[in-house]
């Protein structure tokens, strides 16, 4: 039996999709595309969102690989003392293609102590009422969009079947457009997440260079180098410089010449 969508909800969905499609075509990079998606999600009643992706969601040993995440309208330093690898929403959405309501995960009994701590941490940051749309891509790569409502009232509206259908449509249209305009490969992924300067600084740091050394090599001030490294750490969701270097090498964002 075909379910009927209320006329008002259908018009919102059609309008949001059409507006997003036009704005995505004008987007020149990932950040401007994310801004377009944010506006479409706000029109649906979601106040903030996170977009994550990884070329390899699971490592060869079966453990989860930490995705790279970009956010809009999230609290400052929301991910401090928080591990993507303990994120139960990420773990659950890897195994489904359907929208995942965070409340369903929070009330489950299959969460580890680390996952429960992750949920509590996000709740403390007012990141409680979320819906994640899994986006499985070619060659085993994976992405997701987690749309957040700011309170239980807006969540009730945002979690209605018509709203979830609209969210599902918007997120898949967004991802399909990204794949068409910026095909998934190491080069485009690098450009999307790290600037050329951030990659240069991390690459030299991986070779054992200090900030003073890097500043001299690149003709920059030491403070500018530290700023590039700090942004790279943030963009890679790393805890420090060594962690950022390790993640950049793992993701093939930088190459390290070995003697």
């Amino acid at each position: 039996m075909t379910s009927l969508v209320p006329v008002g909800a259908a018009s919102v969905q059609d309008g949001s999709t059409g507006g997003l499609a036009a704005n995505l075509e004008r987007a020149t990079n990932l950040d401007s595309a994310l801004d377009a998606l944010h506006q479409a999600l706000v029109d649906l009643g979601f106040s903030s969102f996170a977009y994550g992706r990884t070329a390899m969601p699971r490592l060869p040993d079966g453990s989860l690989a930490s995705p790279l995440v970009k956010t809009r309208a999230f609290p400052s330093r929301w991910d401090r003392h928080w591990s993507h690898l303990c994120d139960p929403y990420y773990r659950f959405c890897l195994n489904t293609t359907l929208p995942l309501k965070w409340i369903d995960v929070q009330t489950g009994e299959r969460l580890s102590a680390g996952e429960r701590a992750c949920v509590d941490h996000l709740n403390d940051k007012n990141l409680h009422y979320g819906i994640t749309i899994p986006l499985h891509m070619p060659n085993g790569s994976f992405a997701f969009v987690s749309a957040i409502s700011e309170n239980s009232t807006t969540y009730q509206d945002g979690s209605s079947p018509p709203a979830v259908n609209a969210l599902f449509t918007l997120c898949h249209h967004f991802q399909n457009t990204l794949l068409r305009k910026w095909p998934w490969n190491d080069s485009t992924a690098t450009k999307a997440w790290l600037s050329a300067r951030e990659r240069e600084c991390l690459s030299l740091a991986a070779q054992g260079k200090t900030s003073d050394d890097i500043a001299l090599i690149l003709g920059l001030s030491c403070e500018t180098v530290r700023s590039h490294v700090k942004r790279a750490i943030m963009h890679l969701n790393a805890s420090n410089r060594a962690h950022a270097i390790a993640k950049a090498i793992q993701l093939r964002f930088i190459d390290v010449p070995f003697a």
Side-chain angles (χ1 to χ4, degrees):
M1 179 181 295
T2 302
S3 61
L4 297 177
V5 178
V7 174
S11 62
V12 169
Q13 177 175 339
D14 293 342
S16 297
T17 303
L20 175 63
N23 289 333
L24 287 177
E25 290 304 322
R26 288 191 290 267
T28 57
N29 53 39
L30 176 61
D31 279 323
S32 57
L34 289 169
D35 290 338
L37 178 60
H38 186 208
Q39 182 57 59
L41 295 181
V42 167
D43 291 342
L44 280 181
F46 297 99
S47 56
S48 57
F49 82 97
Y51 171 71
R53 71 186 191 187
T54 174
M56 185 173 58
R58 290 190 182 276
L59 299 175
D61 63 2
S63 61
L64 297 181
S66 181
L68 298 174
V69 178
K70 283 184 174 287
T71 62
R72 290 294 184 273
F74 263 47
S76 175
R77 307 182 76 182
W78 67 274
D79 56 351
R80 183 173 174 80
H81 305 309
W82 178 77
S83 170
H84 291 79
L85 298 182
C86 290
D87 179 0
Y89 311 127
Y90 176 54
R91 177 170 68 85
F92 274 78
C93 73
L94 280 176
N95 299 315
T96 184
T97 59
L98 300 176
L100 179 74
K101 296 181 180 180
W102 288 13
I103 286 181
D104 293 339
V105 176
Q106 294 163 10
T107 56
E109 299 179 355
R110 295 180 294 167
L111 300 185
S112 67
E115 290 174 332
R116 183 66 64 185
C118 173
V119 169
D120 291 342
H121 173 81
L122 294 179
N123 289 348
D124 288 342
K125 296 293 185 179
N126 201 32
L127 300 172
H128 181 79
Y129 301 102
I131 300 175
T132 295
I133 306 298
L135 302 165
H136 297 270
M137 295 185 291
N139 303 319
S141 54
F142 178 77
F144 65 85
V145 174
S146 290
I148 316 294
S149 301
E150 59 186 358
N151 54 54
S152 59
T153 301
T154 55
Y155 174 75
Q156 291 300 322
D157 295 334
S159 62
S160 66
V164 174
N165 288 342
L167 174 63
F168 185 88
T169 300
L170 286 176
C171 293
H172 278 273
H173 184 83
F174 169 80
Q175 187 61 28
N176 289 339
T177 303
L178 253 61
L179 291 174
R180 173 171 56 81
K181 295 188 68 173
W182 301 289
W184 179 267
N185 56 51
D186 291 340
S187 176
T188 54
T190 302
K191 292 177 182 178
W193 298 101
L194 296 178
S195 70
R197 280 300 193 197
E198 289 164 4
R199 295 197 305 277
E200 284 180 323
C201 290
L202 276 189
S203 180
L204 290 168
Q207 298 173 46
K209 306 297 184 183
T210 66
S211 293
D212 288 332
D213 296 333
I214 297 171
L216 184 61
I217 293 170
L218 298 181
L220 304 172
S221 70
C222 191
E223 186 57 37
T224 299
V225 169
R226 291 195 183 98
S227 178
H228 286 310
V229 172
K230 185 179 296 184
R231 283 199 297 271
I233 292 171
M234 178 185 67
H235 291 158
L236 290 169
N237 297 305
S239 56
N240 52 45
R241 179 184 291 213
H243 188 199
I245 291 171
K247 292 187 71 171
I249 294 173
Q250 175 194 7
L251 294 164
R252 298 190 297 275
F253 282 8
I254 62 173
D255 295 318
V256 180
F258 294 96

